[in-house]
Amino acid sequence: GVAGAAGAVGLAAAPARALPNAAVPEDHRRHEHDPWHEVLADADLVWRRLPKTWYEGPFLGNALLGSGIYAEPGRNAIRFNVQHSEVQDHRPEFGSLFGLCLLFGWFTLEPVGRITGVDWRLGLRDAELTGTLTTEAGTLALRAMVHNSRSVLAVEIVPSAGERGFRWFFHPAEAISPRAAFKPLPAGYAGHPPATGADVGRAAQPLLAGGEHVAAWRERTHGPGGRRTLYAAVAWSHPRATARARALRTVRSASALPYDALAPAHRAWWHRYYRKSFLSVPDARLQRFYWAQLYKVASAARRDAPVMATSGPWLEPTPWPATWWNLNVQLEYWLIHGSNHLELDAVTRALGEYRRRLSDELARPYRADSAGIARTTDMTLLNGASVANGGYAVGVPGQNPPTPEVGNLTWALHNVWLSYRHTMDESILRDVLFPLLRKAVNYYLHFLAPGRDGKLHLPATFSPEYGVDAPDCNYDLMLLRWGCSTLLDAARTLGVRDALAPRWREVLARLAPYPADANGFMIGAGVPFAKSHRHYSHLLAVYPLYEVTWEQPEHRALIETSLNHWVGFEGALQGYTFTGAASMSAQMRRGDDALKYLDELMARFIQPNTMYKESGPVIETPLSAAQSLHDMVCQSWGGVIRVFPALPGSWRAAALRDFRTQGAFLLSAVREEGRTRWVRLHSEAGAPCVVRHGIEGPVEVRDEYGRRLHHEPYGRGAPDGTLRIALRKGGTALITARGDRPDLTVAPVPANAPAPRWGLPED
């Protein structure tokens, strides 16, 4: 680190600290002064008991190929699932819940002796599972990865003498919808023909709609000691049957190399990935959970992969076998912004690539100038109702059936807006956000009409997933207001003179107020929030849109009443209820409340391997919990960067490096002994720099060369020392207390107390 100057933030000079409740593994000791090594080694998941379900076992993936690992039910074997995010049914006539997703299959590792124990570690930094399986006949030492670029599952086994006869078997799954385990199949639905060739190193699954899914595998012996490695890959093709050659080619190429030759390129990608940002807080359990979510999101998401379905690439029998657009997608991708991982943004890519479908799935009268997205789709944004309902999948306001859930595209475009705001990349604004948001808002404008009060009103629509239609539904009013405001801002930025701009301004001036009663925000006009409900769709103006905020004193009572009333109904609350409540509490600067909600989430809903269960496997809630932690350590809505805005009182220390904020700033900051010591901002785009730094007393602001930077107070009565800083594109500003020359090293902060690891650490 560079002490006493506004230089680059140091990371290599941090003193080593003992890891709470865990020793540093042998292969990490030579890196003990590297903060990423330290936090990642501490966050590794461990197993001293045999995992028996999807919710307990290790998981590997590269956003396409995924493998969940646990005991084979009813057998003396270990299951390695092989699922693939491109494996689809391609029969939309049966709807998105039955006609779009398919299970594929799994391998079993079958030892000679009865399994008696495991000692496994999921190493986050290397994205590999390592350890030992113990049996009555000996041991099987294993290493496993889903290779980042080759998209192959590689499992190396080194058996003891008594286990040299272990075997691998492939088991094709029944080619049927994963929802079949929970709901009756629709009339006329038939499973696909059985896979062929499952005992000859490949299994080809023919599809009734054309095309195929193919698994190929090969086991090879490399080196002495009976070291054997299984290589497996999955390929998809539709409508032609061309997957077989690709699967075989992938396995043939990978299997020419031993595990040690394959692993370095895989590990190097993951090492670079983690170093894009750094976060440390003194809650050991929550910090480990956070780094596990960074591992999970990169295992399940990449820009060029399908938008995450509810189970990611680890599909299992589930009630939710599709991509869900009324909450799940939005929550799944929020954490990529602050953690500085825009390379994972499949939402922006997919909405741009399949934009034609967003109009085609509306009823015909609205296709020319409007767009929308259904609640559930496949990887190409297709919903089966567009076939089953005679040509449209998105509801029509005022009509039921179909249930008119209208706002999903606008909410998804808020994620695209976040990607724009965190990068200031005008190509996102020009090529994706502006044209699609214009059409999404246009769809609303077809139905917006003046009432007797002179205000503009919407007919009945649907608030996910309350169960009752309501006119002036808050879900839609809030999204419509955000959409019109964002379109006007985008037009100014792009220099566009749009003929619809007067209409957008009229909507902002005349839109009906959000329905509210003594209990806070209602579902819609005449429909109070009157029962337990997991979604916070009626509260979007508070979070994540930040249109009704705690910094507006006139809204504080409404926000507090609405939040308390919503979470006060037990019965239907689910995990993301508590992540939403945590983020809203963070906006209210109530860090202790935010932590209370996250602790409740961990205790009630998060599974041993950090996955989540809601009737079946789903993954959005743990990922959104990482965003709730982001909201506690940094918020940047409304043009103001807020540093450590909602830390709990017990968190006397925290550290950030290269946390990405709106305006395309990279934030680094350190808090020690309950005081923020320094804040550093690097501007990538030259956007206006306004920061609420939280440093007590007079401050100094210097550039990367130690020269004073012009700054001035921002806003009347701005709390916590809000400053506007004259910071050019490519420039850096360091904020410290006047006369203070702190050490600018960023390192993991000490844990307040020991905590158990994730996984199954107790034997």
Side-chain angles (χ1 to χ4, degrees), residues 179-191:
R179 192 172 167 87
F182 295 83
K183 300 289 183 180
L185 290 167
Y189 184 98

Side-chain angles (χ1 to χ4, degrees), residues 299-325:
S299 299
R302 303 292 167 83
R303 177 181 289 121
D304 295 329
V307 175
M308 278 185 275
T310 54
S311 301
W314 305 291
L315 187 62
E316 292 255 324
T318 175
W320 327 112
T323 303
W324 232 266
W325 291 91

